[in-house]
Amino acid sequence: MEIFTTGALLSDYLKKKKNTGKTIGFIPTMGALHDGHLSLLKNAASKTDLVVCSIFVNPTQFTDPKDLENYPRPIEKDIRKLEDSPCDILFLPDVAEMYSKGEVWQIDLGDLDKILEGKIRPGHYQGVTQIVKKLFDIVKPDYAFFGQKDYQQFMVISKMVDILKLDVKLIMCSIIREPDGLAMSSRNIYLSKTERIQALVLSRALIRTKSEFDQYDISELKSNAVNAINIREGIQLEYFEICDGETLMPVSSKQPKSLVALIAARISHTRLIDNIILK
Ligand code: AMP
C-alpha cells in the first residue's frame, strides 16, 4: 500500500494510472477503522482496479468542537488494518493540506441538509459536501463507496453529484453490524459495558419496525418504536422517523416507492445513528 499526504502528488499518480486504463474506487473515511469500513474496501476491490481510501477527520463537519477534539485517531492501527485489506493507496492529508484560511462553501441542498441529522447538527452536511468535493477533485474516482449506515449522507452526496454534474458513480454498501445487531461505528468505543447493552435498543427498534411493517400503519409503527425506546433507561431519543427513501421527508402513508426508518439517540455522551430500509 502506498501512502500519500499531499493532494498534488496523489492526483498526478492517479492520473497516470487512469491513462493506462485503470478504474479507481474511492472510500473516504475519518479513520478509527472497523469492519464496516473494511466492507467498503472489499466492495471497491470487487468493482475497480485501484482502491483508494482516505483518512481525514474533517473539522468543517463537526458542530461540537469537543467532539472534534475527542474523535478517535488510532492511525497506526488503521494503517495496519489497511495493509491487511484490499487497499492500494491511503490518502492521509493534514488540515492545512485540505483547507486554506477563510474558505467559504455553500451548496443549496434544499431541505436535505435541514432535516433529521441536518436539524440537530446544522452545517454538518455543508462540511461533508465541502470535503467530499475536495477529495473527489483530487482522486477523480470512477466509483465512490459509502455506507448505508449514514443514509442521509449518501442522499446529500448524491444530490451534490447531481447538482455539480460530477463524473462519479456512487455505490451504497450495506450496514455491517455486530453479532447482536449494533451497527458498527467508530463511536462505539466510547460506550461503557452498560451503555453498550442499552445501545441495542436502536437496532432492535428498527428490526421490530421492519418485522411489523405489514401489520401496522405508519403512525402506529412510529409510536410502537418510540414507546419501546422510551421505556428503556439511559436513552435520550433524538428522532425516530419513517421517511421517503429518496427525499427523506417524513411520510404518513406507505405510498412512496422506497421507505426508510431512521433513528438517532444519545446514550450518555455518545450519539448513535442507525437506519433500516423498509421498502
Ligand atoms: P466515517 O469514517 O464514520 O466517516 O465513515 C466512512 C464510511 O464508512 C461512510 O461511508 C460510512 O457510511 C461507512 N460506514 C460507517 N459505519 C459503517 C457500517 N457499520 N457499515 C457499513 N459502512 C459503514
Side-chain angles (χ1 to χ4, degrees):
M1 184 178 74
E2 306 249 14
I3 302 180
F4 288 83
T5 53
T6 62
L9 288 180
L10 175 61
S11 192
D12 272 1
Y13 178 89
L14 291 174
K15 208 168 168 185
K16 286 182 193 133
K17 292 283 178 190
K18 266 199 141 179
N19 286 343
T20 66
K22 300 256 188 255
T23 55
I24 297 171
F26 179 45
I27 301 103
T29 82
M30 297 209 297
L33 302 177
H34 49 67
D35 285 354
H37 297 113
L38 300 182
S39 78
L40 304 187
L41 291 161
K42 285 181 195 149
N43 262 295
S46 71
K47 222 176 158 57
T48 59
D49 300 321
L50 262 185
V51 177
V52 182
C53 175
S54 64
I55 296 182
F56 181 64
V57 181
N58 174 37
T60 67
Q61 72 187 69
F62 282 80
T63 40
D64 174 1
K66 275 249 149 10
D67 190 22
L68 171 61
E69 196 183 312
N70 295 335
Y71 199 83
R73 292 165 169 89
I75 193 63
E76 302 297 328
K77 241 182 169 174
D78 283 349
I79 291 174
R80 280 200 296 276
K81 284 185 185 172
L82 289 175
E83 274 167 345
D84 290 339
S85 75
C87 181
D88 300 298
I89 291 152
L90 167 60
F91 182 41
L92 192 59
D94 63 14
V95 174
E97 177 65 20
M98 295 310 293
Y99 290 105
S100 46
K101 282 214 169 77
E103 247 180 74
V104 275
W105 168 264
Q106 190 67 40
I107 183 166
D108 184 1
L109 298 163
D111 285 329
L112 211 46
D113 65 337
K114 294 171 195 72
I115 53 175
L116 304 164
E117 286 302 288
K119 193 169 172 188
I120 290 165
R121 307 174 71 188
H124 170 65
Y125 288 123
Q126 290 298 326
V128 168
T129 47
Q130 182 179 25
I131 191 63
V132 171
K133 170 71 167 60
K134 282 172 183 279
L135 292 167
F136 281 179
D137 285 347
I138 293 167
V139 177
K140 298 202 171 49
D142 298 282
Y143 293 89
F145 298 79
F146 294 89
Q148 182 203 318
K149 165 78 172 23
D150 298 277
Y151 192 96
Q152 188 174 3
Q153 170 173 280
F154 187 90
M155 292 303 155
V156 161
I157 294 168
S158 299
K159 183 146 188 175
M160 174 180 78
V161 165
D162 281 352
I163 293 171
L164 302 179
K165 298 189 171 47
L166 304 181
D167 188 17
V168 55
K169 284 184 198 67
L170 305 183
I171 311 278
M172 187 194 275
C173 305
S174 333
I175 302 175
I176 304 299
R177 298 179 178 279
E178 301 287 354
D180 60 10
L182 181 70
M184 288 190 184
S185 162
S186 305
R187 294 174 194 275
N188 290 353
I189 54 158
Y190 299 140
L191 298 168
S192 69
K193 231 173 166 181
T194 313
E195 290 163 0
R196 172 69 184 71
I197 294 165
Q198 290 168 333
L200 290 177
V201 77
L202 279 84
S203 53
R204 288 189 180 154
L206 293 169
I207 290 162
R208 173 189 175 146
T209 305
K210 186 157 175 116
S211 66
E212 289 180 344
F213 185 70
D214 293 331
Q215 261 166 280
Y216 295 103
D217 65 24
I218 296 289
S219 69
E220 288 165 332
L221 288 168
K222 269 172 69 172
S223 58
N224 288 351
V226 170
N227 293 339
I229 296 160
N230 284 339
I231 56 165
R232 295 285 172 168
E233 262 176 47
I235 311 283
Q236 294 154 261
L237 181 64
E238 288 186 344
Y239 60 78
F240 178 94
E241 284 293 353
I242 298 178
C243 299
D244 183 308
E246 280 162 24
T247 64
L248 281 185
M249 294 313 281
V251 296
S252 51
S253 86
K254 295 180 183 174
Q255 284 291 329
K257 207 167 73 194
S258 75
L259 290 171
V260 58
L262 303 110
I263 185 170
R266 277 185 188 275
I267 290 132
S268 186
H269 297 297
T270 309
R271 187 166 186 278
L272 300 176
I273 59 169
D274 199 351
N275 66 80
I276 201 163
I277 294 169
L278 300 172
K279 183 182 160 192

